[in-house]
Amino acid sequence: MNQKSESAITFISTTLLAAFAYTLIFFLVKFLACFSAAGKLPEIYNYPLIRISIYGSSFENSSSTISARISFLDSDSSEFAVFERSWNGLSLSMEFLTSSFCGKTVVFPYRIFAGVMESENFDFSKKQEISRRGTKLFHYFNENGQCLLYGSRNSVQIKKSLYTLAQFALLSRMQPSSKFFDKRVLNFSGLKYGENYTVYTGFDGEIHLSKD
């Protein structure tokens, strides 16, 4: 092996090692920041998170489509972001990411996706195998270093603390579940078309669905 090849291998190895070290340090800083962020959150056990209304489904050209309206809510149930669209499939599900620190577990909607009809009733499951496709949701409630979930009109400190926890959850999504991070899925296949339903959560990590 000539000197030029050895130099190239050394450069590549050094670059990869530096990238790995930077990633590790970056993740560690984000991880440690979550303890302080969670400590600043109040003890809240029930607040509105998402409102969903499924318009209906259609089938044409050998393809099924389901349409819905999704609203993001603050703590007094006011909408601060809304979108409507259709997905290819027969039913809808939503995936959530969680961050757990200092005895608090915060739930963040990650994406909504379509699939086959699985049940007449919605099903909450941590183990459900899901497709990687879907509509990502984080940009609807995270902006300028602040997370608007729990309340768009709450203090900047709370919004920044939620943002810190949301970023950790997003960074951890490719990792296995742990006591600090988890994935959960809520299936909407049992919802009645045209009716409004609200997803509630709290800083205890609980999630439940209620008809408005």
Side-chain angles (χ1 to χ4, degrees):
M1 184 180 296
N2 59 40
Q3 186 175 0
K4 184 178 292 186
S5 297
E6 290 179 351
S7 298
I9 292 174
T10 300
F11 174 77
I12 293 172
S13 299
T14 302
T15 301
L16 292 174
L17 183 61
F20 175 77
Y22 173 81
T23 302
L24 184 62
I25 293 172
F26 178 79
F27 185 83
L28 182 60
V29 169
K30 294 292 185 182
F31 172 74
L32 294 176
C34 288
F35 290 93
S36 175
K40 295 174 183 176
L41 297 180
E43 297 285 348
I44 301 296
Y45 297 105
N46 193 58
Y47 62 91
L49 187 67
I50 293 282
R51 179 173 293 126
I52 179 170
S53 178
I54 299 177
Y55 298 143
S57 59
S58 60
F59 188 86
E60 59 180 273
N61 299 324
S62 301
S63 177
S64 59
T65 301
I66 187 165
S67 303
R69 181 179 190 270
I70 309 295
S71 307
F72 297 88
L73 309 175
D74 63 19
S75 52
D76 63 1
S77 295
S78 297
E79 298 177 348
F80 65 85
V82 180
F83 73 94
E84 301 179 24
R85 60 157 294 174
S86 298
W87 293 263
N88 293 325
L90 294 173
S91 68
L92 291 175
S93 295
M94 186 172 289
E95 182 182 8
F96 300 85
L97 307 179
T98 72
S99 289
S100 300
F101 293 86
C102 301
K104 296 168 186 169
T105 296
V106 185
V107 176
F108 302 99
Y110 173 55
R111 67 190 177 98
I112 185 167
F113 61 96
V116 298
M117 190 74 71
E118 298 187 6
S119 170
E120 291 185 356
N121 299 308
F122 70 89
D123 176 54
F124 181 74
S125 172
K126 294 183 180 181
K127 304 296 184 181
Q128 183 178 351
E129 291 295 326
I130 55 180
S131 164
R132 292 185 180 275
R133 295 174 295 177
T135 302
K136 302 296 175 56
L137 303 175
F138 262 53
H139 66 281
Y140 285 101
F141 53 83
N142 287 304
E143 58 182 32
N144 301 321
Q146 299 180 30
C147 175
L148 303 182
L149 293 179
Y150 171 62
S152 58
R153 293 177 293 199
N154 280 312
S155 71
V156 172
Q157 183 183 66
I158 289 179
K159 287 185 280 190
K160 287 184 175 180
S161 294
L162 287 172
Y163 182 83
T164 297
L165 294 166
Q167 289 302 299
F168 173 79
L170 191 62
L171 288 171
S172 302
R173 70 188 184 280
M174 303 303 293
Q175 304 298 320
S177 296
S178 70
K179 68 177 182 178
F180 300 107
F181 167 76
D182 198 6
K183 299 177 184 178
R184 304 178 184 177
V185 173
L186 196 61
N187 186 290
F188 298 128
S189 61
L191 305 191
K192 295 182 178 180
Y193 293 163
E195 301 285 350
N196 288 324
Y197 295 83
T198 299
V199 177
Y200 290 88
T201 187
F203 295 150
D204 55 355
E206 294 295 322
I207 304 175
H208 67 275
L209 185 67
S210 177
K211 183 177 177 182
D212 292 354

